[in-house]
Amino acid sequence: RLYAAQVSNASNLVRAIVDMSSPSINTFLVVADYENEGWRIEQQVKQQLFEKLDAGLESNDSEIFKLAVEVKLAKRLNNFVGVDEDLEVDNSYITFAEYELFKREMKFESSRNQQFINFNKGVAKNIIDGITVKDANSFCYWLSFRDKSSDLSNKTIWYRLLTPKERTNYNISKDQKTSIRLARHKLSSRYNLLAEHLMRGEWKKSNEETLKIMLQLAGRESQSYLTLEDIENFPCKDLYIIDTLWVSASNGHFGFSVQKEIYYESSTDLRAFCKEVDWQSQGGYIYNLKGARKGHLPYGIPQWNIYTIKWEQQQRKFFSRVETCKL
């Protein structure tokens, strides 16, 4: 890049890369942003590069297509915007071409709305939308295991959807149809299994793992319950992580923060809250995104039978903690 910016004409450098028989993704990343870098190259070489990358996104040649999309995806992952030390967000939506790569690698069949995701000519750079939350999470799951860029010993990179609150905070317009706007989250390894279950839509396993994590954090594995003091001192950072994973994976349908809003909308009437989220005194929880009411999950904190005095004290204390932690 330094050489290309200094010479009067970088055509030979770019041509050499374009003509490589087996170029790497990183090699093409060097020259893909030649316009932004201000390089001077011949029109013929520009056209060759265009055919490899831009036109390659719709190529019938699977190798050319894969190379072009890999470069596009790599550029995306290199340009996330940092929010804090553990969170970065994408500045655009996933396109048809990138989603098509995911489908081909996973031999993926959409769970519904197939008409929205057919990969036709002329749509490669368009935003992919009209897909299910489950399919969007499958993309995030695929990308999380595909991206091995993290070399952190105690944290793992997970890609996920932005939560509704994050979209508001970062001035991102509300999606009219389900589309994929990514966040890259560095998580402690203790959350790996929870993130995996949630990305797969395994809601019952996610609920059980949430309970397990909360007991571990409070040092209550052997007792299998949380005291009022445990709840009052529960770490806000961990509560935030658990909630964010739930809200993201369900596109705002499940999560502690979702339950808190319903609780206060119910004027802190626990019986009204339980009715609203469909919590029955005898259990019978619904582990399905379509069938469950908003706020139905997680039912993660160890509790006594609902409608008892102990349960009410615990639940009110928990919602108080959620509010204190600003979820």
Side-chain angles (χ1 to χ4, degrees):
R1 282 182 173 174
L2 177 62
Y3 167 80
Q6 290 179 328
V7 297
S8 59
N9 191 310
S11 297
N12 287 340
L13 174 65
V14 177
R15 186 183 293 109
I17 291 175
V18 170
D19 290 342
M20 283 182 175
S21 57
S22 300
S24 68
I25 306 304
N26 285 334
T27 303
F28 264 101
L29 281 175
V30 172
V31 300
D33 289 325
Y34 72 90
E35 288 183 311
N36 294 336
E37 298 285 344
W39 297 359
R40 292 171 294 280
I41 61 176
E42 298 167 4
Q43 186 59 41
Q44 181 184 9
V45 179
K46 287 183 182 180
Q47 182 62 30
Q48 290 176 321
L49 190 58
F50 173 83
E51 291 172 359
K52 280 280 189 178
L53 299 183
D54 290 67
L57 295 173
E58 296 185 345
S59 174
N60 292 323
D61 186 312
S62 60
E63 291 301 317
I64 293 176
F65 168 80
K66 189 173 188 300
L67 174 65
V69 183
E70 291 270 17
V71 172
K72 183 174 182 61
L73 187 59
K75 287 175 66 177
R76 175 184 299 279
L77 301 184
N78 286 341
N79 287 285
F80 273 48
V81 179
V83 175
D84 56 40
E85 62 179 6
D86 290 330
L87 179 64
E88 299 170 297
V89 298
D90 196 359
N91 56 18
S92 63
Y93 289 90
I94 295 299
T95 63
F96 272 83
E98 292 161 303
Y99 195 79
E100 178 68 15
L101 178 65
F102 151 65
K103 286 169 56 185
R104 292 185 186 186
E105 288 199 353
M106 299 298 290
K107 295 181 173 58
F108 179 75
E109 291 294 335
S110 176
S111 58
R112 67 184 179 97
N113 289 349
Q114 186 67 36
Q115 69 271 23
F116 284 115
I117 62 172
N118 286 332
F119 188 63
N120 299 317
K121 290 292 184 181
V123 303
K125 294 183 179 180
N126 293 356
I127 294 170
I128 179 76
D129 62 9
I131 57 177
T132 65
V133 175
K134 180 180 178 181
D135 293 348
N137 281 323
S138 294
F139 179 91
C140 295
Y141 183 77
W142 164 76
L143 189 59
S144 296
F145 280 90
R146 197 174 191 274
D147 181 16
K148 304 299 183 183
S149 61
S150 174
D151 195 27
L152 303 172
S153 59
N154 64 337
K155 291 187 177 181
T156 307
I157 282 183
W158 280 94
Y159 290 91
R160 59 171 176 79
L161 302 178
L162 290 180
T163 65
K165 185 176 181 180
E166 286 171 335
R167 289 198 293 267
T168 300
N169 289 345
Y170 309 139
N171 296 317
I172 298 170
S173 60
K174 185 178 181 181
D175 301 332
Q176 298 302 311
K177 299 176 181 178
T178 303
S179 49
I180 304 175
R181 188 71 171 260
L182 295 171
R184 182 161 55 204
H185 212 151
K186 298 175 186 175
L187 295 175
S188 165
S189 58
R190 71 157 52 93
Y191 292 105
N192 284 347
L193 195 54
L194 175 59
E196 184 173 334
H197 289 323
L198 286 168
M199 290 299 102
R200 289 179 169 180
E202 298 170 340
W203 304 111
K204 184 175 183 179
K205 290 181 179 180
S206 300
N207 199 67
E208 293 168 350
E209 185 64 18
T210 298
L211 165 61
K212 180 180 176 181
I213 291 172
M214 294 182 74
L215 289 172
Q216 288 175 344
L217 289 167
R220 292 286 180 180
E221 298 100 316
S222 58
Q223 291 92 339
S224 298
Y225 66 88
L226 297 178
T227 66
L228 294 177
E229 184 179 1
D230 293 332
I231 296 172
E232 187 171 13
N233 296 301
F234 198 87
C236 285
K237 182 176 181 180
D238 293 282
L239 199 61
Y240 164 78
I241 292 173
I242 294 170
D243 178 62
T244 299
L245 291 175
W246 272 94
V247 174
S248 168
S250 66
N251 199 29
H253 197 70
F254 296 143
F256 294 140
S257 59
V258 177
Q259 293 169 349
K260 182 203 73 173
E261 294 299 324
I262 297 172
Y263 172 68
Y264 284 107
E265 287 171 2
S266 303
S267 302
T268 69
D269 183 332
L270 280 173
R271 287 180 179 269
F273 166 79
C274 289
K275 183 177 180 180
E276 189 64 30
V277 300
D278 196 24
W279 282 1
Q280 307 299 323
S281 60
Q282 301 302 318
Y285 304 107
I286 300 170
Y287 300 105
N288 183 292
L289 191 60
K290 285 185 180 179
R293 288 189 182 179
K294 188 174 183 178
H296 186 70
L297 296 173
Y299 197 76
I301 54 174
Q303 301 181 20
W304 298 272
N305 291 332
I306 66 175
Y307 302 144
T308 65
I309 293 176
K310 287 183 177 180
W311 177 82
E312 287 192 10
Q313 290 176 334
Q314 186 191 44
Q315 195 62 52
R316 291 187 190 282
K317 180 67 71 173
F318 182 72
F319 283 135
S320 175
R321 187 59 179 166
V322 172
E323 179 69 16
T324 299
C325 293
K326 294 181 169 48
L327 266 62

